[in-house]
Amino acid sequence: MTPINDDEKGYFAADAPAPADPADINQNKWIAVVSYIIFFIPLLAAKQSRFAMYHGNQGLVLLLFSIVCNIVLGFIPFIGWILLPIANLATLVLVIIGIIQAANGQIKPLPVIGSISIIKVP
C-alpha cells in the first residue's frame, strides 16, 4: 500500500478516512462541531452527510470513553481517584481537538480512540 501524503504521517490508503465532498463540509460544518457535545445531532439533522456522521461517530466514541473511564476509575480507591481527573482532562482535550477539526472541515481521527467506528458513515 502506498502512504497518503497527509503531513507525512504515513497513513495508508485503507486506514485513512474517505474524503468528504466540499459542499457537504460547508453545509454540515456546525452540525459536526455540535456532535462533540451532543453526538446524536447528526443522526437527526444530517443522516446522509459523510462529514457530519464521521464527527458524530467520533463524539459517540468519546462519550463512551468518558463514561467507561469515570465508572472504572471511580471504583478504584486512591489511584483511581488520582487518575480520574487526568482522564477527564484528556477527554476535554480530545473534545477540543475534535471541535477544531470539525470547524476547519477536516476528517482526521482523534488520537488514541479515532480508529473505533460505531456509527455507519455513508
Side-chain angles (χ1 to χ4, degrees):
M1 299 180 111
T2 58
I4 293 175
N5 188 6
D6 185 19
D7 299 332
E8 301 302 322
K9 291 183 183 175
Y11 289 123
F12 288 100
D15 299 336
D21 181 35
D24 177 32
I25 293 172
N26 287 331
Q27 184 178 4
N28 297 301
K29 188 178 288 188
W30 295 111
I31 293 173
V33 168
V34 172
S35 71
Y36 285 95
I37 300 165
I38 307 171
F39 78 90
F40 60 85
I41 293 295
L43 295 171
L44 301 174
K47 203 169 197 167
Q48 299 303 320
S49 169
R50 173 179 289 284
F51 182 71
M53 292 297 284
Y54 177 80
H55 286 287
N57 178 67
Q58 295 282 294
L60 174 61
V61 171
L62 199 52
L63 173 69
L64 294 175
F65 170 76
S66 176
I67 290 170
V68 168
C69 283
N70 278 285
I71 290 172
V72 171
L73 294 175
F75 282 122
I76 300 173
F78 304 113
I79 295 173
W81 300 335
I82 293 169
L83 293 177
L84 186 59
I86 295 170
N88 286 332
L89 182 63
T91 302
L92 177 64
V93 168
L94 290 175
V95 166
I96 292 170
I97 290 171
I99 288 173
I100 290 171
Q101 288 178 355
N104 289 332
Q106 299 173 343
I107 296 183
K108 287 185 179 179
L110 290 173
V112 181
I113 62 169
S115 62
I116 301 170
S117 181
I118 297 173
I119 299 173
K120 278 188 169 181
V121 176

